[in-house]
Amino acid sequence: MSLRKHINQNCKDCIYDSSAPGTWRQQVALCSIKSCPFWDIRAKPTSPIPESTLRWYGVDLAEYQRLMGNIKEV
């Protein structure tokens, strides 16, 4: 398994909830566990996260934009 696939699977197994709003990538991008070794390199969503989903998680648009600026690709 590639490093990217391993990280994606780890994050998906950790945080993804199929009954919650958002795709697995959107949910992973909104992860707030900064002590996780994968936090800085977690998956990015492939499309913008809808404001309704951000509101459901209690994230405002400015905070989301800040979070997205901190995500790096591997």
Side-chain angles (χ1 to χ4, degrees), residues 1-73:
M1 181 181 289
S2 73
L3 179 58
R4 176 79 268 159
K5 287 182 181 180
H6 176 73
I7 293 167
N8 288 354
Q9 190 61 51
N10 179 82
C11 293
K12 190 174 179 180
D13 290 345
C14 178
I15 200 165
Y16 178 60
D17 179 353
S18 62
S19 63
T23 66
W24 75 267
R25 286 178 175 272
Q26 291 171 345
Q27 290 182 25
V28 166
L30 295 172
C31 176
S32 62
I33 304 170
K34 294 180 181 180
S35 62
C36 173
F38 299 131
W39 191 83
D40 282 334
I41 54 173
R42 65 197 186 279
K44 288 183 179 182
T46 56
S47 59
I49 300 175
E51 286 189 47
S52 60
T53 300
L54 293 174
R55 280 193 304 272
W56 193 90
Y57 288 98
V59 177
D60 67 26
L61 188 56
E63 183 179 356
Y64 166 65
Q65 290 170 337
R66 182 185 56 77
L67 284 172
M68 295 313 295
N70 289 334
I71 298 174
K72 301 172 189 164
E73 290 285 346

